[in-house]
């Protein structure tokens, strides 16, 4: 026996443990901890534990948007000391991510200071300050009304919410990313307005299909904007929870100098920084992978945002160089969707419908528990108010009972016996202050009693009807959407993404760098969607365009143009502007089944700054035919061909204050121009009676409008269409809300209307029924007309052949617009 053995405790015991068993158990505990307590978000509020604890602790600290910022280190310390037993760096990293507007679609923390960029990290926590963003309050509101369960913190000293109430679907809106043990999650951000619309639709229609939900949520909406090319992978992700898509930068071709063109990048793919792009371009040029690039300049600033200018060498096609850049630089990146989240305590892979359903189930539970809590509190208060009213009504006897009692217990007992009160009511009366004995206090108590009774009845009605709870959830979602919703930033297209590094690189590049300049037809629908249809073979096939077998959405044509895919064409807006663009990047539809719903919104494609600005027509910039325009105030103008400014956009008519263009098109000299006014007057006259003017002119008188009348339609009828042209008019009352009254419609032959001289009043096109006061819309064009609703769905029109000045036929549904048929 050694001396060490003599010093060993008598109770020491050594157990043999199997290493394999111990490692398996330890690994499972570690994996469980990472999956459930660190890496994966909860499908209900879309937050990981550290994010939830940060938001809750900031709420407890009173860091509301209307109060001052505090040091981020203070927030980190509070979270670490009370709720999150991990390192401060992990907490601060989570705090920073929730404050970055380029990471989250709706930031939850309002940061002050250097919170980093896509190329640089943030400053230390001691240098930055933070408070809750307004949207974070929507996630934490009503926590004090028992809407969620609270669980102990790591040392059982404090309580923390197991999940936040979440007034909007945060997981879909802001996305998530995380790597656990054996699994990972990567979810894309979405538009709040679109997600809320889908959630409300699913709440109202529990059997809604994925296609119906995708009408509201067509794809991700990334904080950085850009373009998503190809939506097949997005639909796979929405159906199964797994899929992928390609992100592209927003790039335009602009004139840098009089003789030099360049590519201007204003939006980048999600989580791609400009320095990374510049570095990859330089590496590609040095490695001879990228050709035709002269220089790269970063002109980004806080006022104008991102602006990378890529110079193009003389003799190189900007479109071909851009295709190279998409292939070899982060201007095009992939995003793999893996919708893994915690549901009922376990990880699950969820599609769009499942994600919305889990959130809605949670929100219904929150609203139900909140209503139960409020009902209980109001019943408690009503109970006390009723007891107090009893005391005030007979206050002299109450005072006598209390004065003649030996102690408080005796007074309480006698009050209960004499006035039939409960213990709570008796205690409340004993604590009554003398100032509550006034006459005004009695009136206040009676008013409060009546209000409490009304609120209790309403809450009981809500809790007694699941439909009322759903209605309440839907209304609250709509309010959050209106408060925090923003327009979509990411453009969705069906364009094929680039595929880098497959097969023979040089051969593939030679084929794909050259963008074929083939004949195509550009369609603009009345609901504002645009696409192109390429011809087949050697410039043939446009006459073989076929619409889908069944009438689809957005199939009423506002304007169409036969051109080539790489030509330069113009879009005319109601502000009198002409915007240059090339149809090469427009989504292409097949010849055999053209679906206008597959097009992109023309306002998004042209990046119109004002969402209210409307595109009216697409025109050729190389045609000899003048462009005819008609305005709301009855002005007509024909613009001389070739008088175009060397700018991306310019005005082609000088509009008066309050005026706007209502119609535009390219016409021949033999065409007839047509005005239709809101007072039902229709005027047709020869186009050649309008002398062509320069683009800076203001036009001339087109139609003589009556008092308070305005032009609702301006168009043209070519000589070959006159025999088959028809006039569609829809009359409504100006006393009803727009879109609420379908009104009456009429379809007449264009030949029934006599031609008049320019600047005259025209003839009546529809007799108003009782209650009708004006035409809401009109259309003149080749038979047959196509009518659609405000959402693009098909509408039926009355049969043609009505008398010129006859009355209309009442319509069953509201018609939003009318156009020509697809072909």
């Amino acid at each position: 026996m050694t001396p060490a053995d003599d010093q060993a405790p008598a109770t020491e015991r050594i157990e043999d443990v199997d290493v394999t068993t111990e490692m398996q158990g330890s690994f499972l505990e570690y994996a469980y901890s990472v999956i459930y307590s660190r890496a994966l978000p909860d499908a209900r509020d879309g937050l990981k534990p550290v994010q939830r604890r940060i938001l809750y602790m900031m709420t407890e600290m009173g860091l509301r948007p209307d109060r001052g910022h505090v040091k981020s280190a203070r927030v980190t310390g509070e979270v670490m000391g009370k709720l999150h037993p991990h390192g401060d760096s992990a907490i601060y990293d989570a705090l920073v991510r929730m404050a970055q507007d380029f990471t989250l679609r709706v930031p939850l923390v309002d940061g002050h200071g250097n919170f980093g960029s896509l190329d640089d990290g943030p400053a230390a926590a001691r240098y930055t300050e933070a408070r809750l963003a307004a949207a974070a309050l929507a996630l934490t509101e009503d926590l004090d009304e028992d809407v969620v369960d609270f669980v102990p913190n790591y040392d059982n000293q404090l309580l923390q919410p197991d999940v936040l109430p979440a007034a909007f679907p945060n997981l879909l809106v802001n996305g998530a990313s995380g790597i656990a043990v054996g699994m990972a999650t990567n979810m894309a951000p979405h538009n709040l307005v679109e997600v809320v619309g889908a959630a409300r639709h699913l709440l109202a229609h529990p059997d809604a299909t994925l296609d119906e939900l995708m009408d509201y949520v067509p794809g991700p909406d990334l904080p950085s904007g850009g373009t998503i090319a190809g939506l097949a992978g997005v639909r796979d992700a929405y159906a199964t929870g797994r899929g992928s898509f390609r992100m592209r930068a927003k790039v335009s071709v602009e004139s840098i100098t009089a003789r030099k063109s360049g590519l201007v990048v204003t939006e980048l793919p999600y989580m791609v920084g400009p320095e990374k792009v510049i570095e990859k371009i330089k590496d590609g040029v040095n490695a001879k992978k990228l050709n035709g690039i002269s220089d790269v300049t970063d002109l980004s600033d806080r006022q104008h945002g991102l602006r990378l200018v890529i110079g193009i060498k003389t003799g190189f096609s900007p479109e071909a160089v851009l295709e190279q850049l998409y292939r070899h630089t982060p201007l095009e990146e992939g995003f793999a969707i893996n919708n893994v989240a915690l549901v009922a305590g376990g990880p699950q892979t969820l599609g769009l419908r499942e994600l919305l359903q889990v959130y809605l189930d949670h929100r219904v539970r929150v609203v139900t528990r909140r209503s139960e809590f409020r009902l209980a509190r109001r019943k408690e208060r009503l109970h006390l108010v009723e007891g107090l009213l009893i005391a005030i009504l007979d206050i002299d006897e109450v005072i006598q009972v209390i004065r003649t009692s030996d102690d408080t217990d005796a007074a309480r007992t006698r009050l209960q016996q004499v006035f039939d009160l409960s213990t709570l009511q008796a205690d409340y009366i004993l604590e009554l202050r003398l100032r509550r004995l006034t006459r005004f206090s009695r009136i206040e108590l009676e008013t409060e009693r009546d209000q409490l009774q009304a609120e209790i009845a309403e809450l009981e009605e809500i809790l007694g009807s699941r439909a009322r709870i759903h209605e309440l959830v839907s209304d609250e979602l709509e309010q959050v959407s209106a408060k925090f919703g923003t327009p979509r930033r990411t453009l969705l297209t069906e364009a094929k993404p680039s595929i880098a590094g497959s097969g023979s690189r040089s051969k593939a590049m030679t084929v794909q760098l050259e963008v074929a300049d083939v004949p195509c037809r550009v369609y603009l629908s009345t609901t504002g969607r645009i696409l192109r249809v390429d011809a087949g073979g050697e410039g043939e096939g446009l006459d073989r365009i076929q619409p889908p077998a069944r009438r689809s959405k957005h199939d009423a044509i506002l304007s169409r143009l036969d051109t080539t895919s790489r030509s330069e064409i113009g879009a005319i807006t109601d502000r009198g502007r002409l915007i240059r663009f090339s149809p090469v990047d427009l989504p292409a539809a097949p010849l055999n089944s053209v679906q206008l719903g597959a097009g992109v919104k023309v306002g998004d494609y042209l990046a119109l700054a004002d969402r209210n600005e409307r595109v009216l027509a697409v025109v050729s910039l190389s045609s000899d035919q003048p462009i005819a325009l008609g305005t709301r105030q009855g002005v007509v103008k024909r613009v001389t061909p070739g008088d175009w400014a060397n700018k991306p956009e310019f005005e082609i008519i000088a509009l008066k204050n309050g005026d706007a263009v209502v119609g535009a098109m390219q016409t021949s000299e033999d065409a007839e121009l047509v005005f239709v006014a809101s007072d039902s007057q229709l005027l047709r006259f020869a186009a050649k009676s309008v002398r062509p003017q320069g683009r800076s002119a203001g036009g001339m008188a087109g139609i003589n409008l009556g008092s308070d009348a305005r032009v609702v339609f301006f168009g043209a009828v070519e000589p070959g269409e006159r025999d088959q042209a028809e006039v569609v008019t829809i009359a409504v009352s100006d006393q009803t809300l727009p879109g609420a009254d379908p009104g009456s419609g009429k379809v007449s032959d264009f030949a029934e209307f006599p031609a008049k001289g320019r600047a005259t009043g025209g003839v009546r096109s529809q007799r108003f029924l009782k209650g009708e006061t004006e035409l809401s819309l009109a259309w003149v064009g080749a038979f047959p007309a196509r009518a659609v609703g405000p959402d693009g769905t098909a509408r039926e029109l009355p049969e043609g052949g009505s008398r010129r000045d006859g009355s209309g036929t009442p319509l069953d549904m509201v018609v939003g617009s009318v156009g020509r048929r697809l072909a």
Side-chain angles (χ1 to χ4, degrees):
M1 180 177 293
T2 64
D5 295 331
D6 293 338
Q7 298 176 2
T11 58
E12 181 178 296
R13 184 163 54 92
I14 300 175
E15 294 183 3
D16 291 332
V17 177
D18 182 67
V19 175
T20 302
T21 303
E22 178 66 21
M23 290 296 292
Q24 288 177 346
S26 299
F27 180 78
L28 287 175
E29 290 180 4
Y30 168 74
Y32 182 89
S33 175
V34 172
I35 292 173
Y36 295 94
S37 302
R38 187 182 306 174
L40 297 184
D42 193 297
R44 295 171 292 178
D45 61 6
L47 299 172
K48 301 177 185 179
V50 63
Q51 296 171 324
R52 186 179 303 113
R53 290 164 181 167
I54 290 172
L55 296 180
Y56 175 65
M57 184 53 61
M58 293 180 73
T59 303
E60 291 294 293
M61 294 170 66
L63 303 181
R64 299 174 57 85
D66 55 352
R67 299 181 182 177
H69 296 79
V70 302
K71 286 291 185 182
S72 300
R74 179 182 168 190
V75 177
T76 302
E78 288 287 315
V79 174
M80 180 172 59
K82 294 182 177 180
L83 302 179
H84 198 69
H86 298 281
D88 59 336
S89 61
I91 299 173
Y92 183 55
D93 288 345
L95 174 68
V96 167
R97 187 180 186 276
M98 290 192 291
Q100 293 174 335
D101 58 1
F102 54 83
T103 300
L104 299 188
R105 189 61 179 82
V106 179
L108 303 177
V109 172
D110 178 13
H112 181 67
N114 178 15
F115 275 80
S117 66
L118 288 167
D119 296 309
D120 297 308
R126 62 183 178 273
Y127 298 119
T128 62
E129 298 177 341
R131 65 183 177 188
L132 289 174
L137 298 182
L139 295 181
T140 60
E141 65 180 352
D142 302 329
L143 273 175
D144 57 344
E145 295 187 287
D146 192 34
V147 293
V148 296
D149 294 332
F150 277 70
V151 296
N153 69 335
Y154 63 92
D155 60 359
N156 294 321
Q157 299 296 314
L158 301 170
L159 292 176
Q160 59 183 337
D162 181 53
V163 66
L164 294 185
F168 64 88
N170 178 60
L171 186 56
L172 273 168
V173 171
N174 281 325
S177 63
I179 300 176
V181 178
M183 62 185 66
T185 185
N186 196 36
M187 304 180 66
H190 290 77
N191 186 274
L192 174 62
V193 177
E194 296 175 353
V195 171
V196 167
R200 297 183 65 204
H201 180 77
L202 182 60
L203 192 63
H205 306 86
D207 298 328
T209 64
L210 178 60
D211 289 336
E212 292 175 357
L213 296 178
M214 287 188 66
D215 285 341
Y216 294 91
V217 186
D221 186 24
L222 308 175
S224 58
T227 301
I228 292 178
L231 301 179
V234 173
R235 195 186 192 287
D236 292 340
Y238 287 167
T240 66
R242 294 174 182 254
S244 62
F245 59 86
R246 304 291 294 182
M247 304 174 291
R248 278 186 173 182
K250 182 179 179 181
V251 186
S252 60
V253 180
E254 296 184 12
S255 297
I256 300 176
T257 65
R259 297 186 179 182
K260 185 177 181 181
S261 297
L263 301 172
V264 178
V265 182
T266 53
E267 295 175 3
L268 288 173
Y270 185 46
M271 301 307 291
V272 173
E275 290 186 9
K276 180 180 179 181
V277 174
I278 294 173
E279 181 182 355
K280 289 293 183 181
I281 291 176
K282 291 180 178 179
D283 292 342
V285 171
N286 294 334
K288 307 299 183 183
K289 292 182 179 179
L290 299 175
N291 301 313
I293 297 176
S294 61
D295 57 79
V296 182
T297 307
D298 188 358
L299 301 179
S300 305
D301 57 38
R302 293 184 178 181
Q303 182 177 0
H304 301 94
L306 176 69
R307 185 175 177 85
L308 290 181
V309 179
I310 304 172
I312 306 298
K313 294 180 179 178
T314 304
F316 283 83
S317 168
E319 290 79 9
V321 174
L322 178 59
E323 187 68 19
Q324 280 187 314
L325 290 169
Y326 282 149
R327 286 174 166 276
H328 299 293
T329 70
L331 290 182
E332 181 178 309
E333 286 280 271
F335 189 101
I337 299 177
N338 188 23
N339 295 337
V340 178
L342 297 177
V343 179
Q348 293 186 19
T349 302
L350 307 170
L352 175 62
R353 194 180 191 282
E354 291 76 20
L355 284 167
L356 291 171
Q357 190 63 59
V358 170
Y359 169 76
L360 290 174
D361 292 343
H362 167 63
R363 194 60 192 166
V364 168
R365 284 193 294 270
V366 166
V367 172
T368 301
R369 290 182 58 165
R370 185 186 66 193
S371 300
E372 292 172 347
F373 178 87
R374 292 177 177 176
L375 178 62
R377 292 297 177 270
R378 280 153 178 76
K379 284 184 175 179
E380 292 174 2
R381 177 60 185 169
L382 179 62
H383 184 64
L384 297 177
V385 170
E386 289 174 341
L388 197 56
L389 281 171
I390 292 174
I392 291 179
L393 288 174
D394 202 358
I395 191 61
D396 293 335
E397 186 176 354
V398 169
I399 294 174
Q400 182 65 28
V401 168
I402 295 175
R403 291 185 62 184
T404 58
S405 300
D406 295 333
D407 52 29
T408 302
D409 292 338
R412 180 188 305 109
T413 302
R414 293 183 62 191
L415 284 174
Q416 291 179 248
Q417 293 173 350
V418 173
F419 297 102
D420 193 21
L421 301 175
S422 67
T423 302
L424 288 175
Q425 289 174 323
D427 287 336
Y428 193 63
I429 291 173
L430 289 173
E431 297 174 0
L432 183 67
R433 296 182 180 181
L434 294 178
R435 64 182 177 86
R436 297 299 305 271
L437 302 181
T438 64
R439 178 181 177 185
F440 183 70
S441 295
R442 175 184 171 183
I443 296 175
E444 283 184 333
L445 287 172
E446 290 176 345
T447 302
E448 184 181 2
R449 178 197 60 193
D450 297 340
Q451 182 179 352
L452 287 171
Q453 290 174 344
E455 292 176 355
I456 288 172
E458 182 181 1
L459 288 169
E460 288 177 340
E461 181 184 356
I462 291 174
L463 290 171
S465 170
R466 189 169 183 83
R468 283 295 308 276
I469 294 178
H470 285 190
E471 181 183 354
L472 187 57
V473 171
S474 180
D475 291 343
E476 291 179 357
L477 282 171
E478 184 181 17
Q479 294 172 9
V480 172
S481 174
K483 185 175 182 180
F484 302 112
T486 56
R488 165 170 281 276
R489 298 177 186 173
T490 302
L491 180 65
L492 305 176
T493 71
E494 290 288 358
K496 294 182 179 179
S498 301
I499 303 175
S502 60
S504 174
R505 182 183 298 269
S506 60
K507 182 176 180 180
M509 286 178 60
T510 301
V511 173
Q512 297 189 18
L513 282 179
E514 293 296 330
V515 181
D517 191 21
V518 299
C520 69
R521 180 173 292 169
V522 177
Y523 284 104
L524 174 65
S525 74
T526 57
T527 52
R529 291 189 172 269
I530 189 170
L531 58 69
R532 82 169 194 271
V533 180
D534 292 335
E538 295 295 327
E540 298 180 357
L542 289 177
D543 57 338
R544 296 186 286 109
I545 293 177
Q546 294 293 329
R550 60 182 179 85
R551 182 94 51 94
S552 62
K553 282 189 176 183
H554 314 283
D555 66 349
I557 303 302
L558 178 63
S559 177
R560 76 177 189 184
L561 176 67
D562 290 338
T563 180
T564 60
S565 57
R566 292 186 60 182
S567 63
E568 192 173 53
I569 61 178
I572 299 176
T573 75
D574 59 352
R575 307 291 172 82
R577 296 196 304 150
L578 188 147
I579 303 172
R580 294 174 179 265
F581 71 99
S582 173
V584 67
D585 286 331
L586 285 174
L591 280 169
N592 56 1
S593 183
V594 178
Q595 292 271 8
L596 286 177
V600 297
K601 293 181 179 179
V602 66
D604 293 341
Y605 181 77
L606 297 177
L608 298 179
D610 188 347
R611 292 283 177 177
N612 295 321
E613 187 171 9
R614 181 168 175 254
V615 177
L616 302 175
V618 286
V619 296
S620 172
L621 299 184
S622 59
S623 173
D624 294 334
Q625 291 185 342
I627 299 174
L629 303 101
T631 75
R632 183 188 299 143
Q633 296 178 0
V635 174
V636 65
K637 179 183 179 182
R638 289 206 300 160
V639 186
T640 306
D643 186 18
W644 313 126
N646 188 22
K647 298 178 182 179
E649 56 186 61
F650 48 87
E651 293 184 353
I652 59 173
I653 183 174
L655 293 172
K656 298 180 180 179
N657 290 336
D659 202 3
V661 178
V662 296
M665 70 291 300
Q666 280 179 314
T667 61
S668 66
E669 290 292 322
D670 297 328
E672 282 190 313
L673 304 182
V674 185
F675 278 98
V676 183
S678 59
D679 59 359
S680 188
Q681 296 299 110
L682 182 149
L683 174 64
R684 55 182 283 198
F685 56 90
K688 57 187 177 182
S689 65
V690 181
R691 175 178 52 84
Q693 298 174 307
R695 60 183 181 84
S696 60
M700 58 187 69
I703 182 175
N704 186 15
L705 293 174
S707 177
D708 298 329
R710 69 187 187 283
V711 174
V712 296
F713 172 82
F714 173 78
V717 177
E718 295 292 339
E721 298 178 342
R722 289 174 188 167
D723 294 338
Q724 297 182 341
E726 58 186 8
V727 177
V728 179
T729 52
I730 295 179
V732 296
S733 170
D734 60 3
Q735 300 301 314
T736 60
L737 293 174
D741 179 16
S744 65
K746 184 174 74 73
V747 181
S748 309
D749 294 335
F750 179 66
E752 294 289 325
F753 296 82
K756 299 283 186 177
R758 180 183 62 82
T760 59
V763 297
R764 184 166 61 182
S765 61
Q766 180 173 340
R767 185 187 303 273
F768 292 145
L769 297 173
K770 183 178 180 181
E772 296 176 344
T773 57
E774 64 177 10
L775 294 183
S776 61
L777 64 87
W779 179 84
V780 180
F783 172 86
R786 290 285 187 261
V788 296
D791 60 349
T793 53
R795 296 285 190 266
E796 294 296 330
L797 290 172
E799 294 184 2
S802 299
R803 290 190 302 110
R804 173 181 63 79
D805 60 346
S807 57
T809 301
L811 300 175
D812 295 331
M813 304 180 73
V814 174
V815 175
S817 56
V818 180
R820 65 171 64 224
R821 69 182 182 88
L822 178 65

